[in-house]
Amino acid sequence: LDIVIASPHAALKQEGENATNRLIKAIENPYVHIIGHPTGRLIKKRIGLEPDMIKIFDAATKNNTALELNAHSMRLDLRDFHVKSAILKGVKIAINTDAHRPDDFNQLKYGIATARRGWLSPKNCINCLTINQLNQWLNEKR
């Protein structure tokens, strides 16, 4: 696969330490490029996981694994304060619409707004890489 995204979709009521260990194991996998919607929350439906985000950010930086800022209005996961903390730790962020149908691509504006509130800059955003930079980053994981 060109880009591998690992996302939590099960056991989303797991206790914090178990969730942290589970996410770090995925971050450390050499084939995983991005961790998708790290808490798995659904706004007004599910709180999602509550991992130790500082440990997640440290592991992501160490393993050069990006974290997804899921722009869908039902998720907005990472939150703006997560984005700010992540970039202070050197984490790369990927903004994704979580599109399940064509109209979902319009959700990108929510991800951009969240990224701006979290002070995300182009140097920390996977979406802003040139094709050569993206290919280099992807190949570093192999």
Side-chain angles (χ1 to χ4, degrees), residues 27 40 64 67 75 93 103 119:
I27 288 167
N64 197 22
L67 299 179
R75 287 198 186 271
I93 303 293
D103 286 348
W119 292 41

Side-chain angles (χ1 to χ4, degrees), residues 5 7 34-37 67-73 75-78 93-100 104-105 107-112 125 127:
I5 302 173
S7 304
I34 301 169
I35 300 297
H37 51 71
L67 299 179
E68 176 195 49
L69 190 174
N70 189 303
H72 198 284
S73 58
R75 287 198 186 271
L76 297 176
D77 179 13
L78 301 166
I93 303 293
I95 304 173
N96 179 18
T97 61
D98 199 5
H100 290 243
D104 288 343
F105 288 111
Q107 302 279 323
L108 186 61
K109 60 188 170 195
Y110 302 121
I112 292 170
C125 185
N127 307 64

Side-chain angles (χ1 to χ4, degrees), residues 4-138:
V4 178
I5 302 173
S7 304
H9 287 105
L12 295 172
K13 293 182 181 180
Q14 201 169 41
E15 125 182 1
E17 185 177 347
N18 290 337
T20 301
N21 293 336
R22 177 175 162 208
L23 288 168
I24 289 173
K25 188 171 183 177
I27 288 167
E28 292 174 341
N29 184 308
Y31 296 105
V32 173
H33 296 102
I34 301 169
I35 300 297
H37 51 71
T39 72
R41 83 173 183 157
L42 288 173
I43 296 173
K44 295 187 178 183
K45 291 186 179 187
R46 179 177 64 219
I47 293 171
L49 300 171
E50 295 181 349
D52 182 330
M53 295 304 283
I54 300 302
K55 288 182 179 178
I56 299 301
F57 301 151
D58 287 342
T61 300
K62 180 181 175 186
N63 291 279
N64 197 22
T65 302
L67 299 179
E68 176 195 49
L69 190 174
N70 189 303
H72 198 284
S73 58
M74 293 293 292
R75 287 198 186 271
L76 297 176
D77 179 13
L78 301 166
R79 298 179 189 184
D80 53 2
F81 58 89
H82 290 142
V83 172
K84 179 66 172 174
S85 296
I87 61 171
L88 289 173
K89 291 280 194 173
V91 177
K92 298 245 185 265
I93 303 293
I95 304 173
N96 179 18
T97 61
D98 199 5
H100 290 243
R101 55 187 163 281
D103 286 348
D104 288 343
F105 288 111
N106 295 326
Q107 302 279 323
L108 186 61
K109 60 188 170 195
Y110 302 121
I112 292 170
T114 301
R116 286 181 175 162
R117 284 193 310 276
W119 292 41
L120 183 65
S121 68
K123 72 177 187 167
N124 297 97
C125 185
I126 299 301
N127 307 64
C128 296
L129 296 176
T130 66
I131 189 66
N132 289 335
Q133 292 169 327
L134 178 63
N135 283 326
Q136 179 181 344
W137 177 72
L138 292 170

